[in-house]
Amino acid sequence: MRSTGKTGKLMLSGVLAVCLAGSMMVVPVAAQAKPKPPVIPSQAAVERAKQAAADKAGQVKAIEQQLAAAEARLEQLGIQSGIADEAYNGAVYRLEQAKKEAAAAADRATKAEKTLSTQRQQIGRFAVASYQGGGDIAKLAPLFTAEGPQQLLDSAGTAHTVSSAMQGSYLRYTANQVVTNLFKVQADQAVTKVKHATEAAAKAKKAAEAAEAAQSAAVTAMGVQRQKSIAQLAVLQNTSVQVAAQRQRGLEELARQRAAALAAKKAAELRRKIEAREAREAAERARERARERAEEAREREQGKKNPGKKKPPRERPGNGGNGGSGRGASAAINFALSQLGDMYLWGGTGPSRWDCSGLMMGAWKRAGIQLPHYSVAQYEQTKHIDEDELRPGDLIFWSIDPDDPGTIHHVAMYLGGGRMIHAPRSGKPVQIQSVYYWEPPDFFGRP
């Protein structure tokens, strides 16, 4: 029995060994994975990627440049529109002047004709009286023929028979006849001038309307293009349209701030120049007062020595030619300031829409000074001054040619401190800006 148990154990051990061996043979051994070859772009692919990145950056830059150019284009269109507007104002001004000249010429011609008719009647009465008296003057019958008067005066025999009174009357008549004919010619020329001025005004009006329409259409078109460009930027920059628009606004605001800083710097230079001139003028006035006091002291001393001798009153110097800006500037400035926010309107003269010269005309009218509705004529009718002579209320002018005031196309009012108020252009309200917000002005005038 014992042997049998031992033998069974041995047999169990063998069976287990065989089973284990069999189980080990059934489980397969995992094979070693073969690595995939790395992706290595070709040199051509690398160059294409670089070119794509460069193209993308170039497109971004090009679109940003287009946006900046659009802003500049709108500003330029605004300037051109303003020039056309003032050209129309000039055409209307010249038409009004031509009408006044025509009316004056017609009035002169009418009065001259009346004078001539009166003299003709006087000569006629003189001749009739001579006929009735039977005097030698009756020989003047040919006087009333077409060429009779000159023939009689040229005739030596008749000259002895014509009284000096009759001769003087006739000479005055012939002289007035020449003047009357001249006035008639001038009246005809004035009528022709009115016709040409009317045509010019109509042409200028069409040009102004076209400029306004072009500017308005450009504002709309560029607004649409701006949105498209910003959307393209967003795609190229892998950002949202909102972020792209915010960035664009930031860039534009930065450009405005830089321009404002430059304008402020120039305005500060202008203030320093004005202050320096004022200091020189104040010093000169102080010296003048000192000279006057010294002179008065000498006169008093001489008066004591010669008590019977009186001196003529001393003439006091005037206000130095300050003109309107020294008297009514406050009223003009206050009126202009009360129009802040009013929108621009070409040809506008108020009460709530203005163009540049219309605002200046309205402001100085409040101060009791009449200015025409035309910037060129406004400069012509003001005292011309230098930039460092500017006082609040003075007018500032811009022109196409800085050497030719006839090309003036914009006007503003100086407020002091390098600032001004004006009606800029279509789409803009009356506002206060630096004198140099745009470009340096060319001419300056004092109403």
Side-chain angles (χ1 to χ4, degrees), residues 115-277:
T115 300
L116 193 66
S117 178
T118 300
Q119 289 181 330
R120 190 183 297 115
Q121 292 173 1
Q122 289 175 346
I123 293 175
R125 287 194 297 269
F126 186 73
V128 169
S130 299
Y131 272 113
Q132 293 174 347
D136 290 338
I137 200 67
K139 297 178 182 179
L140 293 181
L143 179 64
F144 298 99
T145 63
E147 299 179 356
Q150 192 60 46
Q151 291 175 355
L152 287 174
L153 289 177
D154 291 341
S155 171
T158 306
H160 291 291
T161 66
V162 178
S163 67
S164 60
M166 183 63 185
Q167 188 178 31
S169 179
Y170 177 71
L171 290 175
R172 285 192 298 273
Y173 171 80
T174 53
N176 280 326
Q177 193 172 39
V178 171
V179 172
T180 300
N181 290 336
L182 175 62
F183 284 164
K184 287 180 178 178
V185 170
Q186 290 177 343
D188 291 340
Q189 291 174 341
V191 170
T192 301
K193 189 175 180 181
V194 168
K195 183 182 178 215
H196 291 164
T198 301
E199 294 171 351
K203 184 177 180 181
K205 183 178 181 180
K206 287 183 180 179
E209 289 173 341
E212 289 285 331
Q215 201 249 357
S216 178
V219 168
T220 302
M222 289 181 185
V224 173
Q225 184 59 44
R226 175 186 170 85
Q227 295 303 320
K228 291 182 179 178
S229 298
I230 288 175
Q232 289 175 339
L233 281 176
V235 172
L236 291 169
Q237 295 170 337
N238 294 322
T239 61
S240 69
V241 173
Q242 183 178 0
V243 172
Q246 184 177 2
R247 181 177 185 276
Q248 184 60 31
R249 287 194 299 270
L251 291 173
E252 292 169 356
E253 178 59 27
L254 181 61
R256 280 191 290 269
Q257 289 177 0
R258 288 173 177 168
L262 180 60
K265 181 179 179 181
K266 292 181 178 180
E269 293 174 358
L270 174 61
R271 288 197 301 272
R272 285 193 291 270
K273 288 197 296 185
I274 292 174
E275 289 168 357
R277 174 182 278 270

